[in-house]
Amino acid sequence: MKFAYKFSNLFGAVYRQGNLSFSKDGNSVISPIGNRISVFDLKNNKSETLPVSTTKNITCVGLSPDGNLAILVDEDGAALLVSLITRAVLHHFHFHKPVSSIRFSPDGRKFIVTKENVALMYHAPGKQREFNAFVLDKSYYGPYDETTCIDWTDDSKCFVVGSKDMSTWVFGAERWANLIYYSLGGHKDVIVGCFFEKDSLDLYTVSQDGTLCIWESDTELDGLVLTRGRRRDRHRSQREEGEEEEEEGEEKAEGEEGEHRGEVIRGKAAAPKEKEGTRNVRYKQMSKHFFNKEGDFNNLTAATFHKETHILVTGFASGIFHLHELPEFNLIHSLSISDQRIASIALNSSGDWIGFGCSGMGQLLVWEWQSESYVFKQQGHFNNMASLAYSPDGQYIVTGGDDGKVKVWNTNSGLCFVTFTEHTSSVTNVTFTSSGFVIVSASLDGTVRAYDLHRYRNFRTFTSPRPVQFSSLAVDVSGELVSAGAQDSFEIFIWSMQSGRLLEILAGHEGPVSCLCFSPVQGILASGSWDRTVRLWDMMDSWQTKETLRLTSDGLSVSYRPDGQELAVATLDGEISFWNPQTATQTGAVAGRHDLEMGRKETDKITAKQSAKGKSFTSLCYSADGESILAGGQSKFVCIYNIKEQILMKKFEISCNLSFDAMEEFLDRRKMTEFGSLALVDEGAGDGDEVHLSLPGVKRGDMSSRHFKPEIRVSSLRFSPTGRSWAATTTEGLLVYSLDGSLVFDPYDLDLDVTPASIRKQLRLREWAAAIVLAFRLNESALIQEVLETVPHKEIPVLCGSLPDVYVEKLLGFIASSLEKSGHLQFYLTWAQSLLMLHGQKLKNRSGSILPTIQSLQKSIQRHFEDLSKLCDWNIYTIRYAVALSKQRGMKRRAEEEEEEEKEEEDLSEEMSEASLEDASTVL
């Protein structure tokens, strides 16, 4: 139970690549982040990352019309069918080639996948369980180059496919006699988007050079005629479901992997021959419009169309987007939302909100075009994250990145609510002060900055007498002393938070200072260095070195236990040593090199086993109770060790994304040639922004574009003060793992007579204390909640007094977790108050073990306090507004009505005065 941490959320990244999509109700946006997908709930301002992951980065997401299913396809063409209700993977499938786009039909029965120059139509998975969820129906050939986009007609009869060969192809989803395929030209560049008009075969096509073509069809959707054989089939299939017979003239084929290809339709540039009695559908170009002005070369990179409101949204490489009303091509408005290329655009079901994804900076924006305001605006660190820290109540996480930004995230919503951009170089370390309202960050730009979370400003900047690069940072328990270690001068600088003055420069280390940590209980600073020592400096006694601890190798990370009685040091030889800071003696060590399990990088000349000999842990963190330690480094694994037993308790694999380097222990032998690894031969596929003038002889892509494969690593780890979760900054983002108590059956002091039936019997007998004790012995959260909420409110103080000490702590922990989600605020707060009042002294004596529970309780109360105070403020303003409105005279009324009202008022006042006179006389 104690180490049953499960992946719960991914912060720090909101969009990487792929297509954005809105949920069916239009209130949530679904964004691919690496090999996972996140759902951002815009109404409740929350984010959730689904606990499913693909083996490589996701390139396209297809959502079913009812919003229950999603198909995720990665860079290699491996697909997952995911239920968005249960968050479970229902089916695995492989398309064997990279997929450019995927789209469900509006009736939800079929979906189209485009890969290379072919469009494949599959039967959509149904409600009943099937052996194979993806059954191929038809294959459509026509374009000569890669296909880029798909759109369906509203009644799912036809679909259109755009291609890189500048042509657009309309195909019939059924075998229509008058529309099998139709090819459209008219463009001079890659097709970015093709869209059908609402309930019509009329088309809009948009190309990369900023050209829009409007095509009109001479036939309505109702005018499509089935071929005769198909008509018979359709009548037959209505009688006996699912059994389709082969028809003469259909082409059957086997795929390369021997898979059944279904019916194959091959389109040619010329229109198909007309059969007797039927006239083929024909298109004509009505008009052509250009987005770019004369001499403007702004590539159009993304487009989407909302059929109900006839609004076309187009995004450009410069970060500008345009809103046009079609078919008149009237510009509604245009705006620059980023300085990076807009990679994806999505419109919600009502057409009010537009979602934009910019992959260069990792931005996700949702814009309401009618009010011209942002509904949602988030951006992750567009470089690696270097460090993180939890606030003392566990409600916020602060992260610092190589992009020089300091971001603060809310752990409940998973969203960033403030970004500080004052640093001009990489942020190496961040921390909270004990008050929880001040953040301190150190950077390679030679400054240490303090930020105020009340006013969101940088109120202190600490610098050294001569420029140095700060690589480590620590703030003491009082929040008064700020210390930072220098990379190049081997010194430690100490400043006063109050005055901002430099108090002392501590010299003594003979190598770069890699880490600093203040003791939680004394004024002692521990500093680890590459000179193979850890020095303990006494802050009270004129900054003298109190002790020097000799290490076996370079010190990389130092961490104090929460009670200050133990010090853990990670060294370059992969060992974690434990020291008693009072006696300066080593109490234990863990050799963790074998647990790191390094992968082999594509550029490595030696095996993973050999390279692992030089690897080590770079980040350490004690758990909230101090019994175990969390360790991570340049590997995909995070290890939890038991300190007393010095054994590995659990290992977490933080990612299975093969798009990162050093993920696999053995390289693929098929990629190894006599010239070295094929992975090092850069094809120059680039980031999608290919230059027009490619080098001579280059078939695809651009040789001059940069190919980058990031290496998987864990740069920083922290346990939450509540002890319920821990967070790690990795190449993938900020991963949060938390305990999910509802899934684990963990009884305490279980006996044969402890059953749900016996607990409910005690409730009927009104034996509240016995019922609570039995419920905690069974330890089923739903049952504990039922028992607690059955107890009458007035009985709570009496019950708390008679409860055995063992169960007080358990009950307090349960109340802390329930208070976060429950609506019974006063009820649970009464429980918490009674327990703390009656057992406060006993709890204080073992404050170390109960501290995480108290902090969890404080976090829940603080959150409710903020929510309620906001609500009260809004209500006050609403009431003031209503009062102000009532004082103003309404619309001008006719004079007669006013006179009548005045007469009524006079009569009423006369009656009231008469009544008051009668009252007065009776009193007398």
Side-chain angles (χ1 to χ4, degrees):
M1 167 67 187
K2 192 170 182 185
F3 301 111
Y5 292 96
K6 292 265 170 65
F7 171 78
S8 69
N9 214 339
L10 170 66
F11 301 171
V14 286
Y15 174 75
R16 290 270 165 80
Q17 64 174 30
N19 61 313
L20 296 173
S21 13
F22 275 93
S23 61
K24 190 190 175 188
D25 58 3
N27 296 335
S28 301
V29 65
I30 295 164
S31 164
I33 304 170
N35 68 334
R36 301 179 184 272
I37 58 166
S38 283
V39 181
F40 296 95
D41 187 342
L42 307 176
K43 279 280 168 77
N44 302 317
N45 203 36
K46 275 202 167 172
S47 84
E48 182 195 5
T49 306
L50 269 56
V52 296
S53 56
T54 55
T55 48
K56 288 213 171 172
N57 288 337
I58 294 169
T59 53
C60 47
V61 179
L63 233 68
S64 65
D66 58 3
N68 296 342
L69 294 175
I71 298 174
L72 320 178
V73 189
D74 70 14
E75 290 166 347
D76 283 350
L80 292 181
L81 176 67
V82 177
S83 164
L84 293 178
I85 298 167
T86 61
R87 312 291 201 238
V89 176
L90 305 177
H91 185 62
H92 291 260
F93 192 78
H94 210 299
F95 290 112
H96 300 294
K97 293 277 167 60
V99 170
S100 57
S101 53
I102 183 166
R103 193 78 179 267
F104 273 88
S105 64
D107 62 6
R109 289 184 180 179
K110 304 274 175 72
F111 67 88
I112 294 274
V113 170
T114 60
K115 62 175 191 182
E116 293 185 328
N117 65 338
V118 60
L120 305 170
M121 184 160 71
Y122 286 86
H123 290 286
K127 287 190 172 63
Q128 69 276 9
R129 293 185 68 172
E130 299 143 321
F131 174 70
N132 183 8
F134 293 1
V135 179
L136 183 63
D137 183 25
K138 295 184 183 73
S139 303
Y140 295 88
Y141 291 87
Y144 292 102
D145 205 342
E146 284 180 47
T147 46
T148 53
C149 50
I150 316 166
D151 192 41
W152 284 86
T153 54
D154 284 343
D155 58 1
S156 310
K157 284 183 178 177
C158 301
F159 65 93
V160 60
V161 173
S163 167
K164 281 188 179 178
D165 67 1
M166 304 178 276
S167 65
T168 312
W169 292 75
V170 183
F171 291 108
E174 307 248 356
R175 257 303 170 100
W176 307 113
N178 52 349
L179 176 57
I180 301 168
Y181 60 87
Y182 197 95
S183 171
L184 302 163
H187 285 284
K188 296 179 183 175
D189 210 338
V190 175
I191 307 291
V192 174
C194 45
F195 314 102
F196 279 110
E197 181 58 87
K198 183 176 166 60
D199 297 325
S200 166
L201 279 172
D202 296 352
L203 261 177
Y204 302 111
T205 55
V206 185
S207 65
Q208 194 173 287
D209 58 357
T211 309
L212 166 76
C213 287
I214 300 177
W215 306 88
E216 190 179 48
S217 160
D218 63 351
T219 314
E220 289 302 312
L221 280 170
D222 303 337
L224 293 174
V225 184
L226 274 174
T227 51
R228 284 171 196 161
R230 284 284 162 181
R231 270 183 232 157
R232 282 200 307 275
D233 271 4
R234 179 168 274 193
H235 292 311
R236 192 181 294 124
S237 67
Q238 282 169 0
R239 287 197 304 275
E240 18 173 298
E241 276 189 359
E243 286 185 20
E244 277 196 25
E245 293 218 346
E246 283 190 33
E247 178 217 339
E248 285 178 32
E250 265 183 28
E251 196 181 326
K252 291 276 169 187
E254 292 287 316
E256 331 156 339
E257 286 82 19
E259 62 183 26
H260 173 60
R261 281 276 168 140
E263 184 186 341
V264 176
I265 290 148
R266 296 187 183 277
K268 297 179 180 64
K273 292 174 185 173
E274 291 188 357
K275 292 178 184 174
E276 291 174 23
T278 56
R279 187 173 173 277
N280 280 357
V281 173
R282 292 178 187 277
Y283 278 93
K284 69 173 178 181
Q285 188 177 318
M286 295 299 292
S287 54
K288 198 170 186 177
H289 303 281
F290 301 95
F291 290 93
N292 293 331
K293 298 182 187 74
E294 196 67 39
D296 222 359
F297 299 104
N298 194 355
N299 267 3
L300 191 147
T301 54
T304 189
F305 178 65
H306 193 255
K307 296 182 182 181
E308 279 74 25
T309 52
H310 303 284
I311 283 177
L312 175 74
V313 189
T314 46
F316 293 83
S318 61
I320 292 172
F321 78 91
H322 293 320
L323 246 83
H324 283 88
E325 190 179 14
L326 296 183
E328 290 84 19
F329 199 67
N330 299 330
L331 181 67
I332 298 172
H333 78 219
S334 70
L335 188 78
S336 176
I337 53 159
S338 174
D339 53 359
Q340 293 285 323
R341 169 178 178 269
I342 296 174
S344 177
I345 304 180
L347 273 157
N348 76 340
S349 49
S350 62
D352 297 330
W353 292 350
I354 312 167
F356 297 97
C358 305
S359 53
M361 303 283 272
Q363 289 170 303
L364 177 60
L365 312 157
V366 179
W367 173 261
E368 187 171 47
W369 64 271
Q370 284 165 326
S371 64
E372 298 193 16
S373 60
Y374 284 110
V375 177
F376 183 83
K377 190 179 183 183
Q378 289 280 301
Q379 179 182 349
H381 290 279
F382 57 85
N383 243 327
N384 285 341
M385 285 191 212
S387 66
L388 86 141
Y390 268 98
S391 63
D393 60 359
Q395 201 161 344
Y396 306 120
I397 294 177
V398 60
T399 57
D402 288 351
D403 54 1
K405 289 186 175 144
V406 174
K407 287 179 172 283
V408 191
W409 308 83
N410 187 318
T411 53
N412 295 314
S413 68
L415 301 175
C416 171
F417 62 91
V418 63
T419 304
F420 300 107
T421 56
E422 279 80 6
H423 283 297
T424 55
S425 186
S426 297
V427 176
T428 51
N429 220 312
V430 286
T431 185
F432 270 95
T433 59
S434 53
S435 67
F437 297 115
V438 175
I439 291 167
V440 187
S441 65
S443 168
L444 294 179
D445 63 6
T447 61
V448 173
R449 296 178 184 269
Y451 306 96
D452 177 9
L453 273 189
H454 285 305
R455 294 185 184 83
Y456 298 147
R457 65 192 178 99
N458 172 206
F459 71 93
R460 283 270 183 281
T461 305
F462 310 105
T463 54
S464 53
R466 62 188 188 82
V468 292
Q469 292 187 316
F470 295 117
S471 60
S472 50
L473 173 75
V475 179
D476 79 331
V477 187
S478 64
E480 170 55 24
L481 295 177
V482 177
S483 69
Q487 241 181 14
D488 34 16
S489 68
F490 314 158
E491 295 164 331
I492 300 165
F493 299 84
I494 307 232
W495 298 272
S496 162
M497 181 73 89
Q498 289 286 329
S499 62
R501 287 174 55 199
L502 180 67
L503 300 176
E504 190 65 39
I505 300 174
L506 308 179
H509 279 298
E510 295 163 14
V513 180
S514 58
C515 48
L516 296 172
C517 186
F518 270 101
S519 166
V521 288
Q522 292 172 292
I524 291 174
L525 173 69
S527 64
S529 165
W530 292 7
D531 63 3
R532 301 191 174 195
T533 62
V534 170
R535 289 174 183 260
L536 304 180
W537 310 82
D538 198 336
M539 299 287 109
M540 305 302 167
D541 185 16
S542 63
W543 327 99
Q544 296 299 314
T545 307
K546 191 179 170 210
E547 295 286 355
T548 302
L549 314 178
R550 299 277 165 200
L551 306 173
T552 54
S553 187
D554 301 10
L556 299 179
S557 181
V558 172
S559 182
Y560 264 103
R561 201 164 72 184
D563 62 358
Q565 300 305 308
E566 191 175 73
L567 188 70
V569 185
T571 50
L572 192 63
D573 57 4
E575 209 171 78
I576 303 169
S577 50
F578 302 100
W579 300 75
N580 183 333
Q582 268 71 39
T583 59
T585 54
Q586 187 171 344
T587 57
V590 171
R593 175 165 287 165
H594 298 295
D595 302 324
L596 265 172
E597 273 188 48
M598 279 300 300
R600 183 175 174 182
K601 288 196 282 185
E602 289 176 345
T603 51
D604 281 354
K605 296 280 187 277
I606 56 172
T607 61
K609 198 174 181 181
Q610 288 295 326
S611 66
K613 289 179 181 173
K615 301 301 178 190
S616 52
F617 292 115
T618 55
S619 180
L620 291 179
C621 173
Y622 273 94
S623 62
D625 58 4
E627 285 179 16
S628 46
I629 195 161
L630 203 60
Q634 291 189 344
S635 158
K636 60 177 177 177
F637 290 106
V638 170
C639 306
I640 292 188
Y641 292 98
N642 184 311
I643 297 164
K644 195 177 173 187
E645 305 294 336
Q646 293 177 13
I647 55 168
L648 177 70
M649 298 299 291
K650 188 150 188 191
K651 219 155 110 171
F652 298 94
E653 188 178 4
I654 53 162
S655 177
C656 59
N657 188 357
L658 298 180
S659 297
F660 291 132
D661 211 352
M663 283 296 293
E664 294 179 289
E665 191 176 347
F666 301 103
L667 290 183
D668 190 346
R669 284 281 161 210
R670 287 170 296 182
K671 288 184 180 173
M672 302 301 282
T673 62
E674 56 186 310
F675 307 109
S677 173
L678 276 179
L680 303 180
V681 181
D682 197 347
E683 284 187 352
D687 55 358
D689 259 346
E690 294 102 351
V691 287
H692 289 300
L693 301 168
S694 57
L695 296 171
V698 175
K699 289 278 195 307
R700 64 181 277 273
D702 167 32
M703 286 291 190
S704 62
S705 70
R706 183 164 171 253
H707 177 71
F708 177 61
K709 198 169 182 183
E711 186 186 343
I712 187 78
R713 64 171 57 172
V714 179
S715 53
S716 180
L717 287 165
R718 286 290 178 274
F719 247 105
S720 164
T722 60
R724 300 283 303 167
S725 61
W726 56 269
T729 52
T730 68
T731 318
E732 205 163 19
L734 174 65
L735 302 174
V736 179
Y737 284 76
S738 58
L739 285 173
D740 193 353
S742 60
L743 299 177
V744 186
F745 176 61
D746 184 29
Y748 170 80
D749 193 17
L750 195 61
D751 210 338
L752 282 173
D753 59 342
V754 182
T755 60
S758 63
I759 294 166
R760 291 191 175 100
K761 186 184 175 186
Q762 295 293 341
L763 283 179
R764 285 196 295 276
L765 296 170
R766 301 177 74 81
E767 293 286 340
W768 312 120
I772 288 173
V773 169
L774 286 173
F776 273 105
R777 281 174 68 184
L778 195 61
N779 210 1
E780 281 279 333
S781 55
L783 203 57
I784 298 170
Q785 188 177 344
E786 184 188 328
V787 170
L788 286 185
E789 290 178 5
T790 314
V791 175
H793 187 264
K794 59 179 182 291
E795 299 276 339
I796 292 172
V798 182
L799 254 174
C800 289
S802 64
L803 213 60
D805 289 349
V806 174
Y807 296 100
V808 170
E809 201 175 318
K810 289 180 177 295
L811 181 55
L812 205 57
F814 181 79
I815 287 163
S817 60
S818 297
L819 194 59
E820 205 166 346
K821 304 184 280 277
S822 176
H824 305 301
L825 268 182
Q826 190 188 352
F827 182 74
Y828 279 113
L829 284 173
T830 310
W831 272 108
Q833 188 184 12
S834 304
L835 285 170
L836 293 171
M837 291 291 282
L838 294 163
H839 299 273
Q841 196 56 47
K842 289 175 189 169
L843 293 172
K844 199 174 180 182
N845 294 340
R846 54 177 198 278
S847 57
S849 61
I850 200 145
L851 185 65
T853 309
I854 299 292
Q855 281 175 330
S856 178
L857 188 66
Q858 185 190 349
K859 175 186 170 184
S860 305
I861 293 170
Q862 181 69 27
R863 194 169 71 83
H864 282 301
F865 171 72
E866 284 173 8
D867 290 351
L868 281 171
S869 56
K870 269 185 200 168
L871 195 65
C872 293
D873 288 347
W874 287 339
N875 287 348
I876 288 166
Y877 300 140
T878 313
I879 290 164
R880 280 184 193 163
Y881 177 67
V883 169
L885 273 182
S886 67
K887 285 178 183 171
Q888 288 182 352
R889 295 300 292 263
M891 291 163 62
K892 289 180 181 176
R893 289 167 296 182
R894 290 198 294 278
E896 296 165 13
E897 286 179 14
E898 285 179 10
E899 280 172 20
E900 281 175 19
E901 278 184 17
E902 279 170 18
K903 276 181 189 175
E904 283 174 13
E905 281 171 14
E906 281 170 17
D907 295 344
L908 196 66
S909 60
E910 280 171 17
E911 284 171 20
M912 283 173 73
S913 59
E914 282 170 16
S916 59
L917 283 169
E918 283 171 18
D919 290 348
S921 61
T922 53
V923 167
L924 285 167

